[in-house]
Amino acid sequence: MSRFTSEDEALLQSMLRQLLQSVKEKITGAPSVECAEEILLHLEETDENFHNYEFVKYLRQYINNTVGSVIEEETEKCTSAQNQGEVSGYDTLVQHVTKKTRESKEYREMMHALKNVMMVVVESLINKFEEDRMRNKELDIKAKNGRQSGYYTDNCSDSDSSFNQSYTFMSQEQLQLLAERLDPIQPKEVRQEALQTLCLAPASDVLNSESWPNLRKHLTVSLSDPDVTFSDKILRFYAKTFSSSFNVTREVYTSLARHLELYFLSGEYSLRVSAGLDVSDTDINRLLKKVRLLNEYQKEAPSSWIRYPEKYMEEVVESTLSLLSVKHDPNHPASPDFLSPVYFLALLDIKAVWFKKWTHAYYSRTVVLRLLEKKYKSLVIAAVQQCLDYFEFCKAAVNRSSRVNDFSQLHCSDKQNFSYTGPELQYVYFVHSLCLLGRLLIYKQGRNLFPVQLKSKKDGVSVTDLLVLFTQLIYYSPSYPKTAVAAHTDNYSPASLVMEILQVFCDQTGCAAECLYTDAVIDALLHPVQSLLSGTEVYVNSLETTLIDVADILARIASVEDGLSLLLYGENEKTAKDDGPTTVHVIVQFTKKLLQDNISLLSGSELQPVVKGAFIFVCRQMYRTCEGLQMIIPYGLHESIAEAWKKTSLLSERIPTPVTGADSTSAVSLESKNILLWEETLLDALLNFSITPKGLFLLHSTGAINDCVNFMFRSLSKKLQTNEYEEFGDRVIVAQMATTPTGAVALQNSGFIKALVTELWALLECGKDDVRITQPKSTPVDPIDRSCQKSFLSLINLLTYPAVFELLSKQDLPNKPIYSLREVPTSIVDIIDRLIILNSEAKIHSLFSYEQSHIFGLRLLNVLCCELNTLLLLETQYKVSQVLLAAQEENVTETSEGPGDFIIDGLSVERNHVLVRINLIGGPQERILPLRVLDKGSNPYPWPMFSSFPLPKCYFAEIPAKAEFRQDKDLDKLLSLLKSPEKQTGWTETCRKQFCKVMKARPDIISGTILAELIEKFVTHLSESRSDCFFSAGDYKAMDSDESLSSVQQLGVEMTVRYGKYLNLLKEDAENELCFVLRNCENFLKQQQRTVVSSLRCLQERPADYDWFASSVFLIMSGDGEKTLTFLQRFSCLLVSAFLWLPRLHVSMHLPATTVESGIHPVYFCSAHHVEMLLKAELPLVFSAFHMSGFSPSQICLQWITQCFWNYMDWSEICHYIAMCIFLGPDYQIYMCISVFRHLQQDILKHTEAQDLQVFLKEEALHGFRVSEYLGYMESLEATYRPVLLKDMRNIGVQYK
């Protein structure tokens, strides 16, 4: 069927006419030609009768007859090819057949014939349409002669379709004539005919014509025409014009809004709220159509009005607000019952989406809020009044029956209903008002509209009053049946709407601060909680849901710094409320009661575990911070959670193991799943205590640390599988855990370390198994490839000295004669054996990427050795220096005369740097570390390499000559005070002030013998005062002993003496003197130690750590052993000794047994904890940088303090640090760390961005830091924080419960 006959054309014409008649209603309702085309293009999707149209049937048959054989042939070809594996998949088959068919000759001929016949058919239809129109219309001769008609068809593509629409292009004279004919004084038939013609004209021509003002006036008047068909046509014309540009459509919109405003103000409108609304009524239906057209435009206009002058937008906004402000004269008897326009708008846009869009952009928001403030504030007042009225209704109903079920049913019916009762209309208006006010309060200019004055209230309604009202709606509003809520995706219950609003407020910082962060709002939120705590009767709908909602908002508030401060201290920051319990008290007490199942109203509820979990999460948001934990500790919440976990754990152990093939529902019941879920919730809550140092200490006391770490590892494994392990909090927890012996052992036992090492090896040596290698890996440019950087930082976080000692102490290296290429390391010992101590050919040949992997190991070793205790352990156990020196010795060129020069390569440069670092002690100006990069030019590496000791002298910085001592009045005054036998009241404070004066003016003179004399005399006086002594002084006489020091201590002595001689502080026999001091210190402290039975290595033997503080005092005393011992004995009575001299409290009887058994030193859970607390308050950017890096400030602080800042500060600054803490108090240790962080702030931010913060802080000395320069800052910190810090430091001997 390639050609069409005249009979075919006639048949096609009748079928096409039938099709167009069937879809006429859809097409004529389209606002534009483009929309009509879209309707026809998608007719198959939208019209269920599409395949029943004769025209469609005809076309299907025609296509089948013409190209059916082609399709079958191509399908057979593809099917056979598919069987042979050449083509795969159904989609591919369809695409291939379609392509081949469209390329065929038959298809091209078919499309050509079809287009030709359709052009004839369409042209014939248009001609007939023109004839009919000319016959039926009796316009004047001018109009007839001027009429031009045309048609448009698509003849461009064989794959496109178009709808042939007739346009009427009109001159200005014709439009003027139409305007005259649309005048309301004209006969009805004339006006209808003119309107029909107008609808055929392009909207842009009409709106831009000179006749438009008159047309608009006549159309606006005609909108009130009683003839429904006539007014509907005008609305369709309006809808069509709204697709034009905004600058002209605003006139159409304002005229429609003005028409409605006049209608509502006219006497013919008399609808009342109490009478309800029947939307099936013709008049009401027409009214709703007009309002809906306005509303549709309201939602679309904001996308374009920014391109036009502000006055255009202001016209639209003002006409809308003017319409919505319409109300009866207040004196009218029916005024309160008047069904105003806002009710109709609320019915069509219940959540006030139009207002949300209008206030989204600053451009329009400014205009809207300005008009509301100046002219239309009554809209805001009416909305507030509506919310207040609804709340009063709910409150009264709740007080009567304690449940409001009947009213809630009005809003969640599934039946189609065409009428609204009075209460339903009020509720719809309430929802609209609630959403509008919720949006209004987000913006500062919107909040400035408050307070508003209501007639029913003497005082104005402020923002806080409104928020309290919103909050009370959560628990006073009607409760929905669960089935009703589940069946509605858009839940219009007041509680859910208020929750949406409050959640948005919580996300907006400025809005939350002004709206939510007030005591009044928090009290309103806590009202049901306080009622349950006090045992008073609770009038609340859906108690469990209400409590969950309250907890959700409280948790969001607690997650923000200002909100947390409000919960902890009340509206006036840092000061608790005097007139009642603080918010944190109420929340924690209620959470404890929930955990103990002491809330009778919730007993047996299905949602009780959810309520418990919600309030635990609120508490968790608080105790995750140092200041929040400080407030929560007295309540013993950690013990309550641990107790609940132990009970749940016993229940979970009884759950039967699922059997393969068994029905899952019978094997593990829903109740069992809930028990397991609840157990995980409690473990997660306990785990989050460990994000702060003191919280980790409390977690250890619960005995649940191993289970928590196992839970964390399981959770991390799931996240790793889904590639989501980017949460900073998890990495911070790992860093905190690794800083304590118990945490490190728990990480080892859980499999975490094994997984970390295995992942590292896969990245470093093997690559991922699931990655198909199509090309060789590129050679890494950086010393540590970016793919391994994350694992590198994780190892640094993990390998603190406490962890290293537990994992490596007395652990020999495997040193196997042969290593399989498939042998994967699983422990830290393996990493050291395979990547660092490469002392055999077997180890070297076992590496695929020898240089890259060994550099990784040397970089890791370099960071580890920055912690001096770790350095001593590695050096004594594994002889690191010897291995590196031997490697350097082998790395030389061979000449005929023997060994030549060192070969400069990546490994030799790294080894040289490590060797200098681990064999040279000194601050930033006392030692020179070789760079690890090559310079450009003839001498790329100017640093001398070596393969034996001693170190080349170029790495020793020159010690500046001592300045000539000059007399200083302030120093003389301080010395005279210390030598004075009479101690007047306030003597200690006077000495401290004088010390500060000298430190600020002449810090250089506080050194050498003067420093020794100052601290010696001051400590002697304090030790003789009972009030200043914190620990009891034991009787001990120094004596020589044959007992030898451990290899670690012996090496520490050698390093100390070498450093002292470099500083010209010690003589030749100093080594024996220092050994004498250390042996006697150990024996002296042993008198005050308790016997501990523990699996921790650090508690199984004599102190393994080297005593850096005693060594520092030895250097201050210029190597005088007797003076050093005497000083340390007296110093041990003072509180400051617990924090400066870490071995002082090793398994000490002055600490509770649980503290000793944890192996956690008070410097960590007290000093380092408060460093984190002050850091967050004083240097929030630095604190955030640590969190984003997954690193904890407490870890680096513990390292600094343990080794008395050796290698980080010059000797003079170390002396000032020790003297300052002795004179000014132990809390200055905390202020010192904060000052260092302040000094490093810019560097910390820079290295956080570079993702190497841990490496920077551990490797780099504190360049440019001077204790004296920051003393003033430390004094300001003392004035703010000393009471809290000293109280906590004095409580280190208290058992936490």
Side-chain angles (χ1 to χ4, degrees), residues 824-849:
V824 177
T826 57
S827 66
I828 301 302
V829 172
D830 291 343
I831 287 293
I832 293 173
D833 183 50
R834 302 289 300 277
L835 297 181
I836 298 176
I837 310 295
L838 297 184
N839 52 0
S840 70
E841 290 292 323
K843 292 182 182 180
I844 294 171
H845 293 320
S846 72
L847 298 175
F848 286 110
S849 311

Side-chain angles (χ1 to χ4, degrees), residues 153-337:
T153 58
D154 183 359
N155 194 25
C156 303
S157 169
D158 60 15
S159 60
D160 289 335
S161 173
S162 64
F163 170 57
N164 294 287
Q165 174 74 38
S166 176
Y167 296 102
T168 301
F169 300 97
M170 294 189 176
S171 63
Q172 293 293 334
E173 292 82 2
Q174 289 175 291
L175 289 170
Q176 179 62 41
L177 182 61
L178 284 178
E180 293 171 4
R181 288 180 175 275
L182 282 170
D183 193 314
I185 63 173
Q186 295 289 344
K188 181 179 178 181
E189 292 77 12
V190 173
R191 291 165 58 219
Q192 284 186 337
E193 193 177 308
L195 182 59
Q196 183 70 30
T197 307
L198 183 67
C199 288
L200 292 171
S204 56
D205 288 1
V206 177
L207 296 174
N208 290 307
S209 71
E210 296 173 1
S211 309
W212 170 241
N214 286 332
L215 275 170
R216 183 182 64 178
K217 184 174 68 174
H218 296 332
L219 289 172
T220 304
V221 174
S222 299
L223 278 170
S224 303
D225 195 287
D227 187 343
V228 178
T229 308
F230 189 72
S231 60
D232 278 356
K233 282 186 179 179
I234 297 176
L235 284 180
R236 286 181 180 176
F237 174 75
Y238 275 24
K240 183 179 176 181
T241 59
F242 281 155
S243 62
S244 302
S245 58
F246 174 73
N247 64 324
V248 287
T249 55
R250 79 185 193 283
E251 296 180 356
V252 180
Y253 177 88
T254 52
S255 66
L256 182 56
R258 182 59 182 160
H259 156 73
L260 286 170
E261 186 177 346
L262 292 172
Y263 173 70
F264 279 103
L265 290 171
S266 67
E268 62 180 289
Y269 178 78
S270 58
L271 293 177
R272 300 287 172 262
V273 175
S274 57
L277 193 69
D278 183 3
V279 295
S280 61
D281 181 82
T282 306
D283 292 335
I284 293 173
N285 190 268
R286 285 173 62 194
L287 184 57
L288 280 170
K289 282 183 179 179
K290 294 173 185 176
V291 178
R292 181 182 177 184
L293 188 58
L294 280 182
N295 184 241
E296 291 296 325
Y297 183 78
Q298 288 165 358
K299 291 187 278 191
E300 291 298 325
S303 60
S304 59
W305 61 22
I306 195 171
R307 298 195 292 269
Y308 299 96
E310 188 178 304
K311 65 176 184 178
Y312 289 1
M313 176 188 61
E314 193 165 338
E315 285 180 30
V316 171
V317 173
E318 183 155 16
S319 63
T320 304
L321 299 182
S322 178
L323 169 64
L324 297 180
S325 300
V326 167
K327 56 185 177 181
H328 258 317
D329 186 341
N331 298 323
H332 194 284
S335 181
D337 201 25

Side-chain angles (χ1 to χ4, degrees), residues 68-82:
S69 58
V70 178
I71 294 171
E72 288 175 5
E73 183 182 341
E74 289 298 331
T75 304
E76 286 177 10
K77 287 181 182 176
C78 281
T79 305
S80 61
Q82 190 173 1

Side-chain angles (χ1 to χ4, degrees), residues 47 127 193 215 255 346 451 487 529 588 623 689 723 767 775 795 848 917 933 943 1126 1132 1185 1199 1245 1295:
D47 193 338
N127 290 335
E193 193 177 308
L215 275 170
S255 66
V529 175
V588 177
Y623 64 65
F689 273 98
N723 205 20
Q775 58 184 15
L795 279 175
F848 286 110
R917 183 183 287 277
V933 293
W943 307 96
T1126 305
S1132 67
Q1199 181 171 325
L1245 298 179
Q1295 177 77 49

Side-chain angles (χ1 to χ4, degrees), residues 1142-1173:
L1142 269 68
R1144 169 75 183 87
L1145 290 183
H1146 179 69
V1147 294
S1148 172
M1149 62 175 60
H1150 299 296
L1151 296 176
T1154 52
T1155 304
V1156 172
E1157 289 165 5
S1158 71
I1160 303 174
H1161 198 281
V1163 165
Y1164 176 71
F1165 69 74
C1166 188
S1167 293
H1169 176 83
H1170 288 295
V1171 167
E1172 292 199 7
M1173 187 172 80

Side-chain angles (χ1 to χ4, degrees), residues 970-978 991 994-995 998 1014 1223:
D970 292 328
L971 179 62
D972 291 342
K973 185 176 179 181
L974 178 58
L975 287 169
S976 64
L977 277 169
L978 292 171
C991 287
Q994 196 61 31
F995 171 78
V998 177
L1014 287 176
F1223 269 92

Side-chain angles (χ1 to χ4, degrees), residues 461-512:
V461 177
S462 64
V463 171
T464 300
D465 295 334
L466 195 56
L467 262 294
V468 169
L469 174 65
F470 285 0
T471 305
Q472 290 173 330
L473 280 169
I474 294 175
Y475 42 86
Y476 281 135
S477 60
S479 59
Y480 283 83
K482 292 178 184 176
T483 52
V485 175
H488 288 73
T489 51
D490 282 333
N491 189 357
Y492 297 126
S493 71
S496 66
L497 293 169
V498 168
M499 283 298 294
E500 283 180 25
I501 292 169
L502 295 183
Q503 285 165 1
V504 171
F505 286 0
C506 290
D507 295 336
Q508 307 281 333
T509 308
C511 174

Side-chain angles (χ1 to χ4, degrees), residues 622-630 632-633 637-639 685-705 708 733 736-737 740 742 1160 1164-1166 1168-1170 1172 1194 1288 1296:
M622 293 189 282
Y623 64 65
R624 278 170 62 93
T625 66
C626 295
E627 63 271 29
L629 184 66
Q630 288 294 115
I632 287 176
I633 284 175
L637 180 64
H638 61 288
E639 292 192 338
L686 286 170
L687 177 65
N688 274 271
F689 273 98
S690 63
I691 209 161
T692 63
K694 188 167 288 185
L696 178 54
F697 176 66
L698 295 175
L699 174 60
H700 175 269
S701 69
T702 65
I705 189 167
C708 287
I733 288 175
Q736 296 284 22
M737 288 278 184
T740 65
T742 48
I1160 303 174
Y1164 176 71
F1165 69 74
C1166 188
H1169 176 83
H1170 288 295
E1172 292 199 7
S1194 55
D1288 206 39
Y1296 285 109

